[in-house]
Amino acid sequence: MVEFVVKYWLECLFGAVTAALTWGYKRLAKRVKEQEAIKEGVLAILHDRLFQAGRYHILQGYISLEELKNVEYLYRSYHALGGNGTGTEIWERIKDLPLKKEN
């Protein structure tokens, strides 16, 4: 009787544990993939905002301190998420703009 339990029940238990681990791995892999897609989407939005702000302020020829801080906030998040050199180039160009004098 002990041999029966050891032979068959342990096989069933091992199969159940393996199935649970496989299910958990697949679920985790799906979440990791979704998180990566969300990260890429946020990065794209931040890049677009940097691009739009850079284009506007560079054409304008100056930037206020408040606007510069706002763009810096965008850039820090963009850079922390692994943004490429394009966003950094835009940020450097914005930083070099003369500051608008406050009234």
Side-chain angles (χ1 to χ4, degrees):
M1 182 69 155
V2 173
E3 288 179 26
F4 175 79
V5 170
V6 170
K7 186 175 183 180
Y8 294 105
W9 284 102
L10 284 180
E11 285 181 21
C12 289
L13 180 63
F14 182 71
V17 168
T18 302
L21 289 174
T22 301
W23 175 80
Y25 174 78
K26 286 180 180 181
R27 187 169 177 184
L28 179 63
K30 181 181 177 186
R31 286 206 175 195
V32 168
K33 188 175 180 180
E34 287 173 349
Q35 286 295 321
E36 188 61 33
I38 291 169
K39 177 185 170 186
E40 288 177 19
V42 169
L43 199 55
I45 292 168
L46 288 169
H47 183 274
D48 179 64
R49 290 300 305 132
L50 278 170
F51 179 80
Q52 294 299 325
R55 186 174 182 189
Y56 174 78
H57 292 295
I58 290 166
L59 287 174
Q60 193 175 32
Y62 60 88
I63 189 168
S64 73
L65 186 58
E66 186 178 78
E67 292 166 331
L68 182 63
K69 286 181 180 182
N70 183 56
V71 175
E72 180 183 14
Y73 181 69
L74 289 171
Y75 174 72
R76 276 193 270 136
S77 298
Y78 172 82
H79 186 72
L81 286 173
N84 63 19
T86 308
T88 301
E89 181 182 333
I90 294 167
W91 166 241
E92 293 298 328
R93 290 179 67 188
I94 292 172
K95 278 193 331 186
D96 291 340
L97 289 172
L99 286 177
K100 176 183 174 184
K101 300 211 188 241
E102 299 294 326
N103 294 335

